Amino acid sequence: LEFRRVLFRSQFTSLLPALSTLDNVLLPALLAGRRRDADLLEQAQRWLEAVQLDHRQQVLAGGLSGGEQRRAIVARALLSNPALLLADEPTSNLDGASETALFTLLQGLCRSAGTALLMVTHSDALAAHCDRTLRLEAGVLRDVDALAAAPLPPAPREPADSEIGRAHV
């Protein structure tokens, strides 16, 4: 029986600006007790390549753009091979094109890695591309897909004359 973790990915970048991109990707694995060996380095470099940051692995995280930082966090998250990735606003503070590109990349990488993705977003455009959409409204979680598929309630009908009460004046 294999145990795979649930991983939380915050909307904040959480990269250490004084460490290289590669070291930031490796840090959680090293803190979890993995050895910095050739296998771990190769896995980290493959994830950096998957998020198109292989050419930026020695750049200090403080020197990365916002979109690059978000992609580095995706690489770091997927390095641990989680069964479930909880992503809180993973595309926040990005322009529309970068938001779409990062979401498409994140969704594709999770699918290919066999990682389920549960994402919180304020973007209806991104939510429309998810397999299932839930909406939190007034503290109640509603299944948007079920609401869309539910039949409309019957229209109110006009009461028959026999049902109308008469007021006596």
Side-chain angles (χ1 to χ4, degrees):
L1 178 66
E2 179 187 359
F3 174 73
R4 291 175 60 196
R5 298 179 246 231
V6 172
L7 189 71
F8 175 74
R9 197 272 196 216
S10 170
Q11 67 178 301
F12 305 107
T13 60
S14 66
L15 296 177
L16 298 177
L19 292 182
S20 71
T21 305
L22 177 62
D23 287 336
N24 268 287
V25 169
L26 290 168
L27 186 61
L30 296 172
L31 291 173
R34 290 187 65 186
R35 289 184 322 126
R36 187 183 179 124
D37 58 15
D39 183 51
L40 182 61
L41 284 172
E42 181 184 327
Q43 289 174 33
Q45 289 168 335
R46 272 198 321 262
W47 282 115
L48 283 169
E49 183 179 345
V51 298
Q52 296 111 30
L53 286 177
D54 49 321
H55 66 290
R56 305 279 283 163
Q57 62 183 312
Q58 294 308 319
V59 172
L60 296 181
L64 298 175
S65 71
E68 288 173 330
Q69 290 179 18
R70 299 263 189 261
R71 294 194 323 262
I73 292 168
V74 168
R76 179 172 66 188
L78 293 174
L79 177 63
S80 67
N81 192 29
L84 173 63
L85 176 58
L86 304 173
D88 178 21
E89 293 282 348
T91 62
S92 64
N93 300 322
L94 296 178
D95 62 70
S98 297
E99 176 185 71
T100 301
L102 179 61
F103 171 73
T104 302
L105 177 68
L106 176 60
Q107 191 177 45
L109 291 174
C110 283
R111 282 189 175 136
S112 67
T115 298
L117 173 63
L118 190 144
M119 179 180 75
V120 174
T121 184
H122 288 95
S123 170
D124 289 334
L126 293 184
H129 294 286
C130 294
D131 296 331
R132 183 172 179 201
T133 304
L134 304 173
R135 184 178 301 269
L136 184 62
E137 294 174 344
V140 177
L141 196 58
R142 301 186 189 281
D143 188 335
V144 172
D145 301 323
L147 291 174
L152 293 175
R157 63 176 182 79
E158 292 293 323
D161 287 338
S162 62
E163 295 175 336
I164 298 176
R166 300 193 188 267
H168 296 286
V169 184

